[in-house]
Amino acid sequence: MDENQVRPYLKLENVRDGVFYVANKLYGITFTQLDNLPLPHPDAQAFECKDKDGSHLGVLYMDFFPRASKKGGAWCGSYRSQTYKDGKKVAPVVTVVCNFTKPAAGQPALLSADEANTLFHEFGHALHNLFKDVHYYGVASVPRDFVELPSQIDEHWAFEPEVLNVYAKHYQTGEVIPDEIIEKILQQKTFNQGFMTTELLAAAILDMNLHTMTDVKNLDMLAFEKEAMDKLNLIPEIAPRYRVTYFNHIIGGYAAGYYSYLWANVLDNDAFEAFKEHGIFDKN
């Protein structure tokens, strides 16, 4: 698939609106842009999220482009977690952060298929935060096995033809993305899947090995990594998705839990099959 064929149909604002469209079809929620809130940067956007009954669910920030003060990658965080105070619900303030290439002045930001998928993924985390309704911080967390389920299942709608026909329109002509390009996008989803699964699994095993070490004297981290991968008979053409020197997931929330991406993948595929059986926007 030639990314240059796809990008003209994936204008950032259109993909964002596609994300909102899916959420509205599935859950009845709406997003309205707010112009009266402070922003972390002039390029950022803020939206009020309302539930299907019109009640306030929370505020969603979207911060799409890189800058010097910002780390790389994409993630979902929160400025304020949902809780209760004096018996009243305090709505969350959630942020979706990306590092898509900022366009030249007067030009639109055109995403790759992978970047569009990333936006759906992080928005799934945002939905998890926006729908949260707990009285105490201590019970707000979920098992690590579940953390990536809301994000990964949301990816499934990104390239469904029914959804692409709504948001994937040529930024110049307004033409809906042709069926032949949709077919290429769908075929790309499984291309090199063996490679991607193996590199992710290798990183998950490396994570587990690091957290079950008992002797760290005179530790040569690169030698440790090589020994761990040699035991797997990992071929030279495939490396762990993250090497020990930049494996940020191993410190903090994902410590010994990087496997959860794979386990959540089992869960999200199983769950989405139910939608495929009854209709991708079936609310039951």
Side-chain angles (χ1 to χ4, degrees), residues 233-258:
N233 291 318
L234 194 67
I235 61 176
E237 290 78 10
I238 302 180
R241 178 166 294 185
Y242 297 104
R243 308 295 294 271
V244 289
T245 50
Y246 57 88
F247 198 169
N248 291 336
H249 292 76
I250 63 179
I251 305 298
Y254 284 87
Y258 192 69

mmCIF file with all atom_site columns, all heavy atoms in Angstrom, residues 233-258:
data_model
loop_
_atom_site.group_PDB
_atom_site.id
_atom_site.type_symbol
_atom_site.label_atom_id
_atom_site.label_alt_id
_atom_site.label_comp_id
_atom_site.label_asym_id
_atom_site.label_entity_id
_atom_site.label_seq_id
_atom_site.pdbx_PDB_ins_code
_atom_site.Cartn_x
_atom_site.Cartn_y
_atom_site.Cartn_z
_atom_site.occupancy
_atom_site.B_iso_or_equiv
_atom_site.pdbx_formal_charge
_atom_site.auth_seq_id
_atom_site.auth_comp_id
_atom_site.auth_asym_id
_atom_site.auth_atom_id
_atom_site.pdbx_PDB_model_num
ATOM 1   N N   . ASN A 1 233 ? 15.490 -18.260 20.737 1.00 0.00 ? 233 ASN A N   1
ATOM 2   C CA  . ASN A 1 233 ? 15.892 -18.477 19.341 1.00 0.00 ? 233 ASN A CA  1
ATOM 3   C C   . ASN A 1 233 ? 15.337 -17.375 18.433 1.00 0.00 ? 233 ASN A C   1
ATOM 4   O O   . ASN A 1 233 ? 14.939 -17.630 17.297 1.00 0.00 ? 233 ASN A O   1
ATOM 5   C CB  . ASN A 1 233 ? 15.434 -19.852 18.836 1.00 0.00 ? 233 ASN A CB  1
ATOM 6   C CG  . ASN A 1 233 ? 16.175 -20.982 19.510 1.00 0.00 ? 233 ASN A CG  1
ATOM 7   O OD1 . ASN A 1 233 ? 17.384 -20.920 19.701 1.00 0.00 ? 233 ASN A OD1 1
ATOM 8   N ND2 . ASN A 1 233 ? 15.444 -22.024 19.900 1.00 0.00 ? 233 ASN A ND2 1
ATOM 9   N N   . LEU A 1 234 ? 15.301 -16.160 18.971 1.00 0.00 ? 234 LEU A N   1
ATOM 10  C CA  . LEU A 1 234 ? 14.822 -15.018 18.191 1.00 0.00 ? 234 LEU A CA  1
ATOM 11  C C   . LEU A 1 234 ? 15.801 -14.753 17.049 1.00 0.00 ? 234 LEU A C   1
ATOM 12  O O   . LEU A 1 234 ? 17.001 -14.601 17.280 1.00 0.00 ? 234 LEU A O   1
ATOM 13  C CB  . LEU A 1 234 ? 14.699 -13.782 19.079 1.00 0.00 ? 234 LEU A CB  1
ATOM 14  C CG  . LEU A 1 234 ? 13.908 -12.611 18.502 1.00 0.00 ? 234 LEU A CG  1
ATOM 15  C CD1 . LEU A 1 234 ? 12.424 -12.978 18.367 1.00 0.00 ? 234 LEU A CD1 1
ATOM 16  C CD2 . LEU A 1 234 ? 14.054 -11.371 19.377 1.00 0.00 ? 234 LEU A CD2 1
ATOM 17  N N   . ILE A 1 235 ? 15.311 -14.707 15.838 1.00 0.00 ? 235 ILE A N   1
ATOM 18  C CA  . ILE A 1 235 ? 16.185 -14.538 14.682 1.00 0.00 ? 235 ILE A CA  1
ATOM 19  C C   . ILE A 1 235 ? 16.709 -13.098 14.609 1.00 0.00 ? 235 ILE A C   1
ATOM 20  O O   . ILE A 1 235 ? 16.043 -12.166 15.090 1.00 0.00 ? 235 ILE A O   1
ATOM 21  C CB  . ILE A 1 235 ? 15.459 -14.918 13.372 1.00 0.00 ? 235 ILE A CB  1
ATOM 22  C CG1 . ILE A 1 235 ? 14.230 -14.032 13.146 1.00 0.00 ? 235 ILE A CG1 1
ATOM 23  C CG2 . ILE A 1 235 ? 15.053 -16.397 13.401 1.00 0.00 ? 235 ILE A CG2 1
ATOM 24  C CD1 . ILE A 1 235 ? 13.535 -14.305 11.820 1.00 0.00 ? 235 ILE A CD1 1
ATOM 25  N N   . PRO A 1 236 ? 17.872 -12.889 14.041 1.00 0.00 ? 236 PRO A N   1
ATOM 26  C CA  . PRO A 1 236 ? 18.475 -11.547 14.002 1.00 0.00 ? 236 PRO A CA  1
ATOM 27  C C   . PRO A 1 236 ? 17.585 -10.509 13.316 1.00 0.00 ? 236 PRO A C   1
ATOM 28  O O   . PRO A 1 236 ? 17.675 -9.318  13.611 1.00 0.00 ? 236 PRO A O   1
ATOM 29  C CB  . PRO A 1 236 ? 19.777 -11.761 13.216 1.00 0.00 ? 236 PRO A CB  1
ATOM 30  C CG  . PRO A 1 236 ? 20.074 -13.216 13.346 1.00 0.00 ? 236 PRO A CG  1
ATOM 31  C CD  . PRO A 1 236 ? 18.756 -13.912 13.419 1.00 0.00 ? 236 PRO A CD  1
ATOM 32  N N   . GLU A 1 237 ? 16.742 -10.959 12.381 1.00 0.00 ? 237 GLU A N   1
ATOM 33  C CA  . GLU A 1 237 ? 15.898 -10.015 11.628 1.00 0.00 ? 237 GLU A CA  1
ATOM 34  C C   . GLU A 1 237 ? 14.782 -9.416  12.487 1.00 0.00 ? 237 GLU A C   1
ATOM 35  O O   . GLU A 1 237 ? 14.134 -8.448  12.096 1.00 0.00 ? 237 GLU A O   1
ATOM 36  C CB  . GLU A 1 237 ? 15.280 -10.714 10.409 1.00 0.00 ? 237 GLU A CB  1
ATOM 37  C CG  . GLU A 1 237 ? 16.265 -11.050 9.308  1.00 0.00 ? 237 GLU A CG  1
ATOM 38  C CD  . GLU A 1 237 ? 17.099 -12.288 9.605  1.00 0.00 ? 237 GLU A CD  1
ATOM 39  O OE1 . GLU A 1 237 ? 16.781 -13.001 10.585 1.00 0.00 ? 237 GLU A OE1 1
ATOM 40  O OE2 . GLU A 1 237 ? 18.053 -12.551 8.864  1.00 0.00 ? 237 GLU A OE2 1
ATOM 41  N N   . ILE A 1 238 ? 14.518 -10.032 13.643 1.00 0.00 ? 238 ILE A N   1
ATOM 42  C CA  . ILE A 1 238 ? 13.470 -9.525  14.529 1.00 0.00 ? 238 ILE A CA  1
ATOM 43  C C   . ILE A 1 238 ? 14.078 -9.194  15.885 1.00 0.00 ? 238 ILE A C   1
ATOM 44  O O   . ILE A 1 238 ? 14.659 -10.056 16.543 1.00 0.00 ? 238 ILE A O   1
ATOM 45  C CB  . ILE A 1 238 ? 12.329 -10.549 14.712 1.00 0.00 ? 238 ILE A CB  1
ATOM 46  C CG1 . ILE A 1 238 ? 11.711 -10.918 13.360 1.00 0.00 ? 238 ILE A CG1 1
ATOM 47  C CG2 . ILE A 1 238 ? 11.248 -9.974  15.632 1.00 0.00 ? 238 ILE A CG2 1
ATOM 48  C CD1 . ILE A 1 238 ? 10.572 -11.919 13.452 1.00 0.00 ? 238 ILE A CD1 1
ATOM 49  N N   . ALA A 1 239 ? 13.929 -7.953  16.312 1.00 0.00 ? 239 ALA A N   1
ATOM 50  C CA  . ALA A 1 239 ? 14.380 -7.530  17.640 1.00 0.00 ? 239 ALA A CA  1
ATOM 51  C C   . ALA A 1 239 ? 13.152 -7.288  18.512 1.00 0.00 ? 239 ALA A C   1
ATOM 52  O O   . ALA A 1 239 ? 12.045 -7.097  18.000 1.00 0.00 ? 239 ALA A O   1
ATOM 53  C CB  . ALA A 1 239 ? 15.201 -6.249  17.526 1.00 0.00 ? 239 ALA A CB  1
ATOM 54  N N   . PRO A 1 240 ? 13.308 -7.296  19.831 1.00 0.00 ? 240 PRO A N   1
ATOM 55  C CA  . PRO A 1 240 ? 12.171 -6.926  20.689 1.00 0.00 ? 240 PRO A CA  1
ATOM 56  C C   . PRO A 1 240 ? 11.667 -5.536  20.302 1.00 0.00 ? 240 PRO A C   1
ATOM 57  O O   . PRO A 1 240 ? 12.463 -4.685  19.891 1.00 0.00 ? 240 PRO A O   1
ATOM 58  C CB  . PRO A 1 240 ? 12.770 -6.922  22.102 1.00 0.00 ? 240 PRO A CB  1
ATOM 59  C CG  . PRO A 1 240 ? 14.005 -7.738  22.001 1.00 0.00 ? 240 PRO A CG  1
ATOM 60  C CD  . PRO A 1 240 ? 14.518 -7.573  20.610 1.00 0.00 ? 240 PRO A CD  1
ATOM 61  N N   . ARG A 1 241 ? 10.387 -5.327  20.429 1.00 0.00 ? 241 ARG A N   1
ATOM 62  C CA  . ARG A 1 241 ? 9.838  -4.019  20.047 1.00 0.00 ? 241 ARG A CA  1
ATOM 63  C C   . ARG A 1 241 ? 10.537 -2.884  20.783 1.00 0.00 ? 241 ARG A C   1
ATOM 64  O O   . ARG A 1 241 ? 10.724 -1.786  20.244 1.00 0.00 ? 241 ARG A O   1
ATOM 65  C CB  . ARG A 1 241 ? 8.334  -3.990  20.332 1.00 0.00 ? 241 ARG A CB  1
ATOM 66  C CG  . ARG A 1 241 ? 7.690  -2.655  19.999 1.00 0.00 ? 241 ARG A CG  1
ATOM 67  C CD  . ARG A 1 241 ? 6.188  -2.726  19.958 1.00 0.00 ? 241 ARG A CD  1
ATOM 68  N NE  . ARG A 1 241 ? 5.739  -3.576  18.856 1.00 0.00 ? 241 ARG A NE  1
ATOM 69  C CZ  . ARG A 1 241 ? 4.455  -3.738  18.523 1.00 0.00 ? 241 ARG A CZ  1
ATOM 70  N NH1 . ARG A 1 241 ? 3.521  -3.109  19.191 1.00 0.00 ? 241 ARG A NH1 1
ATOM 71  N NH2 . ARG A 1 241 ? 4.127  -4.523  17.525 1.00 0.00 ? 241 ARG A NH2 1
ATOM 72  N N   . TYR A 1 242 ? 10.882 -3.110  22.047 1.00 0.00 ? 242 TYR A N   1
ATOM 73  C CA  . TYR A 1 242 ? 11.628 -2.105  22.815 1.00 0.00 ? 242 TYR A CA  1
ATOM 74  C C   . TYR A 1 242 ? 12.867 -2.770  23.392 1.00 0.00 ? 242 TYR A C   1
ATOM 75  O O   . TYR A 1 242 ? 12.785 -3.815  24.028 1.00 0.00 ? 242 TYR A O   1
ATOM 76  C CB  . TYR A 1 242 ? 10.773 -1.528  23.950 1.00 0.00 ? 242 TYR A CB  1
ATOM 77  C CG  . TYR A 1 242 ? 9.566  -0.787  23.465 1.00 0.00 ? 242 TYR A CG  1
ATOM 78  C CD1 . TYR A 1 242 ? 8.296  -1.353  23.550 1.00 0.00 ? 242 TYR A CD1 1
ATOM 79  C CD2 . TYR A 1 242 ? 9.672  0.487   22.910 1.00 0.00 ? 242 TYR A CD2 1
ATOM 80  C CE1 . TYR A 1 242 ? 7.178  -0.682  23.092 1.00 0.00 ? 242 TYR A CE1 1
ATOM 81  C CE2 . TYR A 1 242 ? 8.560  1.168   22.446 1.00 0.00 ? 242 TYR A CE2 1
ATOM 82  C CZ  . TYR A 1 242 ? 7.312  0.579   22.539 1.00 0.00 ? 242 TYR A CZ  1
ATOM 83  O OH  . TYR A 1 242 ? 6.214  1.247   22.079 1.00 0.00 ? 242 TYR A OH  1
ATOM 84  N N   . ARG A 1 243 ? 14.027 -2.160  23.180 1.00 0.00 ? 243 ARG A N   1
ATOM 85  C CA  . ARG A 1 243 ? 15.266 -2.654  23.776 1.00 0.00 ? 243 ARG A CA  1
ATOM 86  C C   . ARG A 1 243 ? 15.353 -2.135  25.218 1.00 0.00 ? 243 ARG A C   1
ATOM 87  O O   . ARG A 1 243 ? 14.707 -1.136  25.570 1.00 0.00 ? 243 ARG A O   1
ATOM 88  C CB  . ARG A 1 243 ? 16.470 -2.174  22.961 1.00 0.00 ? 243 ARG A CB  1
ATOM 89  C CG  . ARG A 1 243 ? 16.377 -2.468  21.464 1.00 0.00 ? 243 ARG A CG  1
ATOM 90  C CD  . ARG A 1 243 ? 16.381 -3.953  21.159 1.00 0.00 ? 243 ARG A CD  1
ATOM 91  N NE  . ARG A 1 243 ? 17.655 -4.559  21.517 1.00 0.00 ? 243 ARG A NE  1
ATOM 92  C CZ  . ARG A 1 243 ? 18.685 -4.635  20.654 1.00 0.00 ? 243 ARG A CZ  1
ATOM 93  N NH1 . ARG A 1 243 ? 18.592 -4.164  19.425 1.00 0.00 ? 243 ARG A NH1 1
ATOM 94  N NH2 . ARG A 1 243 ? 19.810 -5.215  21.048 1.00 0.00 ? 243 ARG A NH2 1
ATOM 95  N N   . VAL A 1 244 ? 16.150 -2.785  26.041 1.00 0.00 ? 244 VAL A N   1
ATOM 96  C CA  . VAL A 1 244 ? 16.189 -2.418  27.460 1.00 0.00 ? 244 VAL A CA  1
ATOM 97  C C   . VAL A 1 244 ? 16.577 -0.961  27.684 1.00 0.00 ? 244 VAL A C   1
ATOM 98  O O   . VAL A 1 244 ? 16.165 -0.340  28.666 1.00 0.00 ? 244 VAL A O   1
ATOM 99  C CB  . VAL A 1 244 ? 17.143 -3.338  28.243 1.00 0.00 ? 244 VAL A CB  1
ATOM 100 C CG1 . VAL A 1 244 ? 16.568 -4.724  28.386 1.00 0.00 ? 244 VAL A CG1 1
ATOM 101 C CG2 . VAL A 1 244 ? 18.525 -3.393  27.594 1.00 0.00 ? 244 VAL A CG2 1
ATOM 102 N N   . THR A 1 245 ? 17.364 -0.403  26.787 1.00 0.00 ? 245 THR A N   1
ATOM 103 C CA  . THR A 1 245 ? 17.850 0.968   26.987 1.00 0.00 ? 245 THR A CA  1
ATOM 104 C C   . THR A 1 245 ? 16.777 2.035   26.754 1.00 0.00 ? 245 THR A C   1
ATOM 105 O O   . THR A 1 245 ? 16.952 3.183   27.137 1.00 0.00 ? 245 THR A O   1
ATOM 106 C CB  . THR A 1 245 ? 19.039 1.242   26.051 1.00 0.00 ? 245 THR A CB  1
ATOM 107 O OG1 . THR A 1 245 ? 18.693 0.847   24.718 1.00 0.00 ? 245 THR A OG1 1
ATOM 108 C CG2 . THR A 1 245 ? 20.254 0.456   26.502 1.00 0.00 ? 245 THR A CG2 1
ATOM 109 N N   . TYR A 1 246 ? 15.670 1.663   26.120 1.00 0.00 ? 246 TYR A N   1
ATOM 110 C CA  . TYR A 1 246 ? 14.593 2.653   25.934 1.00 0.00 ? 246 TYR A CA  1
ATOM 111 C C   . TYR A 1 246 ? 13.207 2.036   26.122 1.00 0.00 ? 246 TYR A C   1
ATOM 112 O O   . TYR A 1 246 ? 12.237 2.458   25.513 1.00 0.00 ? 246 TYR A O   1
ATOM 113 C CB  . TYR A 1 246 ? 14.700 3.342   24.557 1.00 0.00 ? 246 TYR A CB  1
ATOM 114 C CG  . TYR A 1 246 ? 14.673 2.409   23.362 1.00 0.00 ? 246 TYR A CG  1
ATOM 115 C CD1 . TYR A 1 246 ? 13.469 2.036   22.779 1.00 0.00 ? 246 TYR A CD1 1
ATOM 116 C CD2 . TYR A 1 246 ? 15.858 1.931   22.795 1.00 0.00 ? 246 TYR A CD2 1
ATOM 117 C CE1 . TYR A 1 246 ? 13.444 1.194   21.677 1.00 0.00 ? 246 TYR A CE1 1
ATOM 118 C CE2 . TYR A 1 246 ? 15.842 1.084   21.697 1.00 0.00 ? 246 TYR A CE2 1
ATOM 119 C CZ  . TYR A 1 246 ? 14.629 0.727   21.141 1.00 0.00 ? 246 TYR A CZ  1
ATOM 120 O OH  . TYR A 1 246 ? 14.592 -0.113  20.049 1.00 0.00 ? 246 TYR A OH  1
ATOM 121 N N   . PHE A 1 247 ? 13.118 1.064   27.008 1.00 0.00 ? 247 PHE A N   1
ATOM 122 C CA  . PHE A 1 247 ? 11.867 0.356   27.262 1.00 0.00 ? 247 PHE A CA  1
ATOM 123 C C   . PHE A 1 247 ? 11.139 1.070   28.410 1.00 0.00 ? 247 PHE A C   1
ATOM 124 O O   . PHE A 1 247 ? 11.141 0.632   29.557 1.00 0.00 ? 247 PHE A O   1
ATOM 125 C CB  . PHE A 1 247 ? 12.188 -1.097  27.627 1.00 0.00 ? 247 PHE A CB  1
ATOM 126 C CG  . PHE A 1 247 ? 11.027 -2.053  27.500 1.00 0.00 ? 247 PHE A CG  1
ATOM 127 C CD1 . PHE A 1 247 ? 11.237 -3.424  27.586 1.00 0.00 ? 247 PHE A CD1 1
ATOM 128 C CD2 . PHE A 1 247 ? 9.727  -1.607  27.297 1.00 0.00 ? 247 PHE A CD2 1
ATOM 129 C CE1 . PHE A 1 247 ? 10.194 -4.325  27.476 1.00 0.00 ? 247 PHE A CE1 1
ATOM 130 C CE2 . PHE A 1 247 ? 8.672  -2.498  27.182 1.00 0.00 ? 247 PHE A CE2 1
ATOM 131 C CZ  . PHE A 1 247 ? 8.904  -3.853  27.279 1.00 0.00 ? 247 PHE A CZ  1
ATOM 132 N N   . ASN A 1 248 ? 10.490 2.187   28.096 1.00 0.00 ? 248 ASN A N   1
ATOM 133 C CA  . ASN A 1 248 ? 9.871  3.005   29.138 1.00 0.00 ? 248 ASN A CA  1
ATOM 134 C C   . ASN A 1 248 ? 8.773  2.270   29.897 1.00 0.00 ? 248 ASN A C   1
ATOM 135 O O   . ASN A 1 248 ? 8.494  2.572   31.064 1.00 0.00 ? 248 ASN A O   1
ATOM 136 C CB  . ASN A 1 248 ? 9.285  4.282   28.526 1.00 0.00 ? 248 ASN A CB  1
ATOM 137 C CG  . ASN A 1 248 ? 10.362 5.236   28.045 1.00 0.00 ? 248 ASN A CG  1
ATOM 138 O OD1 . ASN A 1 248 ? 11.488 5.184   28.529 1.00 0.00 ? 248 ASN A OD1 1
ATOM 139 N ND2 . ASN A 1 248 ? 10.037 6.102   27.108 1.00 0.00 ? 248 ASN A ND2 1
ATOM 140 N N   . HIS A 1 249 ? 8.113  1.305   29.255 1.00 0.00 ? 249 HIS A N   1
ATOM 141 C CA  . HIS A 1 249 ? 7.010  0.605   29.910 1.00 0.00 ? 249 HIS A CA  1
ATOM 142 C C   . HIS A 1 249 ? 7.456  -0.186  31.140 1.00 0.00 ? 249 HIS A C   1
ATOM 143 O O   . HIS A 1 249 ? 6.631  -0.528  31.984 1.00 0.00 ? 249 HIS A O   1
ATOM 144 C CB  . HIS A 1 249 ? 6.336  -0.372  28.938 1.00 0.00 ? 249 HIS A CB  1
ATOM 145 C CG  . HIS A 1 249 ? 5.590  0.290   27.822 1.00 0.00 ? 249 HIS A CG  1
ATOM 146 N ND1 . HIS A 1 249 ? 6.237  0.848   26.744 1.00 0.00 ? 249 HIS A ND1 1
ATOM 147 C CD2 . HIS A 1 249 ? 4.259  0.466   27.596 1.00 0.00 ? 249 HIS A CD2 1
ATOM 148 C CE1 . HIS A 1 249 ? 5.347  1.346   25.901 1.00 0.00 ? 249 HIS A CE1 1
ATOM 149 N NE2 . HIS A 1 249 ? 4.140  1.133   26.397 1.00 0.00 ? 249 HIS A NE2 1
ATOM 150 N N   . ILE A 1 250 ? 8.735  -0.540  31.235 1.00 0.00 ? 250 ILE A N   1
ATOM 151 C CA  . ILE A 1 250 ? 9.170  -1.401  32.328 1.00 0.00 ? 250 ILE A CA  1
ATOM 152 C C   . ILE A 1 250 ? 9.264  -0.663  33.649 1.00 0.00 ? 250 ILE A C   1
ATOM 153 O O   . ILE A 1 250 ? 9.396  -1.287  34.700 1.00 0.00 ? 250 ILE A O   1
ATOM 154 C CB  . ILE A 1 250 ? 10.532 -2.080  32.023 1.00 0.00 ? 250 ILE A CB  1
ATOM 155 C CG1 . ILE A 1 250 ? 11.642 -1.031  31.861 1.00 0.00 ? 250 ILE A CG1 1
ATOM 156 C CG2 . ILE A 1 250 ? 10.427 -2.966  30.803 1.00 0.00 ? 250 ILE A CG2 1
ATOM 157 C CD1 . ILE A 1 250 ? 13.013 -1.620  31.584 1.00 0.00 ? 250 ILE A CD1 1
ATOM 158 N N   . ILE A 1 251 ? 9.203  0.664   33.617 1.00 0.00 ? 251 ILE A N   1
ATOM 159 C CA  . ILE A 1 251 ? 9.222  1.454   34.844 1.00 0.00 ? 251 ILE A CA  1
ATOM 160 C C   . ILE A 1 251 ? 7.849  2.100   35.005 1.00 0.00 ? 251 ILE A C   1
ATOM 161 O O   . ILE A 1 251 ? 7.387  2.828   34.141 1.00 0.00 ? 251 ILE A O   1
ATOM 162 C CB  . ILE A 1 251 ? 10.307 2.555   34.797 1.00 0.00 ? 251 ILE A CB  1
ATOM 163 C CG1 . ILE A 1 251 ? 11.671 1.935   34.508 1.00 0.00 ? 251 ILE A CG1 1
ATOM 164 C CG2 . ILE A 1 251 ? 10.318 3.335   36.101 1.00 0.00 ? 251 ILE A CG2 1
ATOM 165 C CD1 . ILE A 1 251 ? 12.152 0.964   35.562 1.00 0.00 ? 251 ILE A CD1 1
ATOM 166 N N   . GLY A 1 252 ? 7.197  1.822   36.131 1.00 0.00 ? 252 GLY A N   1
ATOM 167 C CA  . GLY A 1 252 ? 5.886  2.416   36.346 1.00 0.00 ? 252 GLY A CA  1
ATOM 168 C C   . GLY A 1 252 ? 4.763  1.428   36.109 1.00 0.00 ? 252 GLY A C   1
ATOM 169 O O   . GLY A 1 252 ? 4.878  0.244   36.405 1.00 0.00 ? 252 GLY A O   1
ATOM 170 N N   . GLY A 1 253 ? 3.673  1.911   35.529 1.00 0.00 ? 253 GLY A N   1
ATOM 171 C CA  . GLY A 1 253 ? 2.435  1.143   35.442 1.00 0.00 ? 253 GLY A CA  1
ATOM 172 C C   . GLY A 1 253 ? 2.529  -0.207  34.762 1.00 0.00 ? 253 GLY A C   1
ATOM 173 O O   . GLY A 1 253 ? 1.833  -1.151  35.138 1.00 0.00 ? 253 GLY A O   1
ATOM 174 N N   . TYR A 1 254 ? 3.364  -0.323  33.721 1.00 0.00 ? 254 TYR A N   1
ATOM 175 C CA  . TYR A 1 254 ? 3.399  -1.569  32.956 1.00 0.00 ? 254 TYR A CA  1
ATOM 176 C C   . TYR A 1 254 ? 4.449  -2.549  33.457 1.00 0.00 ? 254 TYR A C   1
ATOM 177 O O   . TYR A 1 254 ? 4.660  -3.581  32.831 1.00 0.00 ? 254 TYR A O   1
ATOM 178 C CB  . TYR A 1 254 ? 3.660  -1.279  31.476 1.00 0.00 ? 254 TYR A CB  1
ATOM 179 C CG  . TYR A 1 254 ? 2.458  -0.751  30.745 1.00 0.00 ? 254 TYR A CG  1
ATOM 180 C CD1 . TYR A 1 254 ? 2.178  0.609   30.731 1.00 0.00 ? 254 TYR A CD1 1
ATOM 181 C CD2 . TYR A 1 254 ? 1.590  -1.609  30.085 1.00 0.00 ? 254 TYR A CD2 1
ATOM 182 C CE1 . TYR A 1 254 ? 1.070  1.103   30.071 1.00 0.00 ? 254 TYR A CE1 1
ATOM 183 C CE2 . TYR A 1 254 ? 0.468  -1.126  29.417 1.00 0.00 ? 254 TYR A CE2 1
ATOM 184 C CZ  . TYR A 1 254 ? 0.225  0.228   29.413 1.00 0.00 ? 254 TYR A CZ  1
ATOM 185 O OH  . TYR A 1 254 ? -0.871 0.712   28.763 1.00 0.00 ? 254 TYR A OH  1
ATOM 186 N N   . ALA A 1 255 ? 5.104  -2.255  34.556 1.00 0.00 ? 255 ALA A N   1
ATOM 187 C CA  . ALA A 1 255 ? 6.171  -3.114  35.050 1.00 0.00 ? 255 ALA A CA  1
ATOM 188 C C   . ALA A 1 255 ? 5.686  -4.559  35.164 1.00 0.00 ? 255 ALA A C   1
ATOM 189 O O   . ALA A 1 255 ? 4.718  -4.849  35.863 1.00 0.00 ? 255 ALA A O   1
ATOM 190 C CB  . ALA A 1 255 ? 6.650  -2.619  36.414 1.00 0.00 ? 255 ALA A CB  1
ATOM 191 N N   . ALA A 1 256 ? 6.345  -5.458  34.442 1.00 0.00 ? 256 ALA A N   1
ATOM 192 C CA  . ALA A 1 256 ? 5.981  -6.884  34.363 1.00 0.00 ? 256 ALA A CA  1
ATOM 193 C C   . ALA A 1 256 ? 4.581  -7.068  33.788 1.00 0.00 ? 256 ALA A C   1
ATOM 194 O O   . ALA A 1 256 ? 3.977  -8.126  33.951 1.00 0.00 ? 256 ALA A O   1
ATOM 195 C CB  . ALA A 1 256 ? 6.084  -7.563  35.733 1.00 0.00 ? 256 ALA A CB  1
ATOM 196 N N   . GLY A 1 257 ? 4.088  -6.051  33.093 1.00 0.00 ? 257 GLY A N   1
ATOM 197 C CA  . GLY A 1 257 ? 2.740  -6.150  32.551 1.00 0.00 ? 257 GLY A CA  1
ATOM 198 C C   . GLY A 1 257 ? 2.629  -5.804  31.076 1.00 0.00 ? 257 GLY A C   1
ATOM 199 O O   . GLY A 1 257 ? 1.540  -5.585  30.565 1.00 0.00 ? 257 GLY A O   1
ATOM 200 N N   . TYR A 1 258 ? 3.773  -5.761  30.383 1.00 0.00 ? 258 TYR A N   1
ATOM 201 C CA  . TYR A 1 258 ? 3.709  -5.424  28.963 1.00 0.00 ? 258 TYR A CA  1
ATOM 202 C C   . TYR A 1 258 ? 2.953  -6.482  28.159 1.00 0.00 ? 258 TYR A C   1
ATOM 203 O O   . TYR A 1 258 ? 2.423  -6.193  27.097 1.00 0.00 ? 258 TYR A O   1
ATOM 204 C CB  . TYR A 1 258 ? 5.130  -5.239  28.401 1.00 0.00 ? 258 TYR A CB  1
ATOM 205 C CG  . TYR A 1 258 ? 5.134  -4.615  27.023 1.00 0.00 ? 258 TYR A CG  1
ATOM 206 C CD1 . TYR A 1 258 ? 4.758  -3.288  26.847 1.00 0.00 ? 258 TYR A CD1 1
ATOM 207 C CD2 . TYR A 1 258 ? 5.489  -5.354  25.897 1.00 0.00 ? 258 TYR A CD2 1
ATOM 208 C CE1 . TYR A 1 258 ? 4.733  -2.715  25.585 1.00 0.00 ? 258 TYR A CE1 1
ATOM 209 C CE2 . TYR A 1 258 ? 5.467  -4.785  24.640 1.00 0.00 ? 258 TYR A CE2 1
ATOM 210 C CZ  . TYR A 1 258 ? 5.081  -3.470  24.488 1.00 0.00 ? 258 TYR A CZ  1
ATOM 211 O OH  . TYR A 1 258 ? 5.044  -2.902  23.236 1.00 0.00 ? 258 TYR A OH  1
#
